[in-house]
Amino acid sequence: MNRIELLKLIEKALELSLVSDVSLRRLIEVAARVAEHVDDLEAKIWLISERDALTEEERKRFRMMLVERFGEQEAHIRWKQCIQKFISSRELSDCDSERLGIEKGQSLGMSVAEIEDSIQFFEEMADTIPSRTPANLPPQEERKWHMMNLESSEKYKLSILFRRQVLERIRRKVIDFLITSEAKLWLAAEAESLFVGPSKKVQDWLAANAPNGLEQLKMALCRLEEGGLEARTHALTSLRRLIKTIADFLYPPMNEPVQCSDGIDRQLGEDQYLNRLREFAAARIQSKTSKNLVFSAFEDLDRRLDLAHDLACKGVHAEVTEFEVRLCIMQTYFLLGEMLALKEDETMDR
């Protein structure tokens, strides 16, 4: 399903959410299709478990899918997050527990399908209970029956109210997912239209001059899309290797110290690839301001890669995020673009 078809599917789902007589389970079915097509595995698991109670076989299958994509440790965290998202919509406040006569700290362990069915049942019970007082009772007994029936009817109505509140919380989360997915698709389209020209030029240049660098760039992008802490760590490593590959091409390592453009002698060997890129740029940029801008870009990317990689390698819950890795990739593109422009200027001067 292409982007336009996905946007139409999301639009259809959002329209369904505005129709009062459309059941929530039907809305969730469409949202789950969206999650499937945008490859949001966690949203898919959450939505399917919201709609119908998962069987033990389904639970095992979904957990295995998370493990295959993210690894054992992160899969465990993400599975718990899916469960918590399910529970958080069904938690009873202390006030709800007291009114319903339920022990505090409990939650409604029912799927949307079960909740919708139970509301229908409770509505029928609430309507019929008041008429169940036996005939020909003494006045005192009749009043007692009447009070018990009213009390039971009121409890059913409170249960219905609570269940409707739960459904509304879930509906809001489903709509938020749809709106967020729609925004991501539109933003991706906008970013792609702005980025496709420069990024293609960089990739074409890599293919012609540093094919290993192109493979490292593709590897970083591929590992990022796989998702998971380990894959993101590998993506950052590939970016490091890419930057070194470019440095090796533009300014090969030197065995002896080199007097740089600022008059300072520096080691520009195998491991000093960032300094080699700095010197490559410094020798070609006359403006001090422009040099400072380019050097700041070097240092910012280097610092960001260091921090992100160190955090990723810790393997803790506060891990490097997908967003942070994407920022590193974008900055790497910008750095390559700067180097490509300087190289082209050098060629034109000749």
Side-chain angles (χ1 to χ4, degrees):
M1 184 176 287
N2 61 38
R3 185 182 288 130
I4 299 300
E5 291 171 331
L6 261 176
L7 286 169
K8 288 181 178 178
L9 181 61
I10 293 173
E11 184 180 357
K12 174 188 174 183
L14 290 172
E15 288 174 353
L16 282 176
S17 71
L18 300 174
V19 181
S20 58
D21 61 347
V22 172
S23 68
L24 180 54
R25 73 182 85 176
R26 185 181 169 194
L27 176 62
I28 290 176
E29 285 171 3
V30 182
R33 286 178 59 201
V34 172
E36 175 78 32
H37 287 295
V38 300
D39 196 28
D40 191 334
L41 178 56
E42 292 156 90
K44 176 184 173 182
I45 293 172
W46 162 63
L47 287 163
I48 290 176
S49 62
E50 287 284 10
R51 186 191 63 197
D52 294 298
L54 295 179
T55 65
E56 188 58 35
E57 183 178 344
E58 286 175 323
R59 286 173 175 270
K60 289 180 180 178
R61 179 166 60 86
F62 282 137
R63 293 201 66 170
M64 184 56 65
M65 290 170 69
L66 286 170
V67 170
E68 289 173 355
R69 179 168 296 192
F70 302 111
E72 187 70 43
Q73 180 182 359
E74 189 165 340
H76 177 69
I77 293 171
R78 291 174 184 253
W79 178 257
K80 286 178 66 177
Q81 289 173 342
C82 289
I83 293 174
Q84 182 55 40
K85 193 170 185 179
F86 177 94
I87 293 173
S88 63
S89 299
R90 295 162 169 78
E91 291 174 333
L92 280 78
S93 66
D94 290 348
C95 180
D96 288 329
S97 298
E98 186 175 343
R99 289 193 302 169
L100 294 170
I102 298 174
E103 183 182 347
K104 292 181 180 179
Q106 300 297 306
S107 61
L108 186 65
M110 301 172 72
S111 68
V112 167
E114 292 169 330
I115 295 172
E116 289 182 333
D117 290 342
S118 69
I119 287 176
Q120 184 177 352
F121 172 76
F122 285 163
E123 284 176 335
E124 294 172 357
M125 294 297 292
D127 289 340
T128 58
I129 278 181
S131 63
R132 292 183 179 180
T133 302
N136 302 320
L137 288 175
Q140 187 175 355
E141 285 295 314
E142 185 177 358
R143 282 195 298 272
K144 186 184 295 185
W145 269 89
H146 181 67
M147 292 301 297
M148 287 192 301
N149 287 339
L150 284 177
E151 185 179 344
S152 296
S153 179
E154 186 61 26
K155 281 193 174 181
Y156 278 124
K157 289 177 181 178
L158 286 173
S159 294
I160 291 168
L161 177 62
F162 172 67
R163 281 163 168 75
R164 290 196 184 282
Q165 290 172 343
V166 168
L167 291 181
E168 185 54 34
R169 290 177 209 158
I170 299 169
R171 181 184 294 273
R172 188 66 260 170
K173 287 183 179 180
V174 174
I175 292 172
D176 286 346
F177 163 73
L178 292 168
I179 292 173
T180 301
S181 298
E182 183 181 44
K184 285 180 179 179
L185 287 169
W186 280 115
L187 287 173
E190 289 296 320
E192 189 176 291
S193 66
L194 292 171
F195 202 55
V196 65
S199 65
K200 185 178 187 305
K201 187 168 185 177
V202 167
Q203 292 186 29
D204 289 346
W205 184 84
L206 286 173
N209 298 282
N212 285 345
L214 181 60
E215 289 305 311
Q216 288 155 350
L217 176 59
K218 289 180 177 178
M219 178 62 70
L221 295 169
C222 180
R223 295 313 303 269
L224 174 62
E225 295 307 319
E226 287 179 16
L229 176 59
E230 183 178 355
R232 289 195 287 273
T233 305
H234 288 167
L236 294 170
T237 301
S238 294
L239 289 182
R240 278 280 187 208
R241 290 172 178 164
L242 167 60
I243 295 169
K244 184 179 183 303
T245 296
I246 298 306
D248 290 346
F249 176 78
L250 296 175
Y251 196 115
M254 311 295 277
N255 294 326
E256 302 296 330
V258 175
Q259 187 177 57
C260 295
S261 301
D262 58 4
I264 299 175
D265 289 344
R266 291 188 179 88
Q267 289 289 343
L268 298 179
E270 187 74 27
D271 295 334
Q272 289 82 38
Y273 56 90
L274 200 63
N275 279 342
R276 286 190 272 128
L277 279 179
R278 284 171 59 97
E279 181 57 22
F280 171 82
R284 289 159 180 79
I285 300 175
Q286 300 304 315
S287 166
K288 184 177 179 180
T289 301
S290 297
K291 282 184 183 180
N292 289 337
L293 286 173
V294 173
F295 291 171
S296 295
F298 288 159
E299 291 160 6
D300 186 54
L301 175 59
D302 187 52
R303 182 172 60 253
R304 192 181 293 276
L305 283 169
D306 277 343
L307 290 173
H309 192 272
D310 289 347
L311 186 58
C313 289
K314 289 179 182 177
V316 295
H317 182 63
E319 65 198 38
V320 61
T321 65
E322 178 185 332
F323 179 71
E324 290 167 324
V325 178
R326 287 192 185 278
L327 281 180
C328 288
I329 290 176
M330 289 177 66
Q331 283 191 281
T332 302
Y333 264 111
F334 298 150
L335 172 63
L336 295 180
E338 292 274 8
M339 298 301 100
L340 173 56
L342 291 173
K343 189 67 175 175
E344 286 185 339
D345 289 345
E346 179 186 68
T347 304
M348 290 173 65
D349 290 341
R350 293 176 183 173

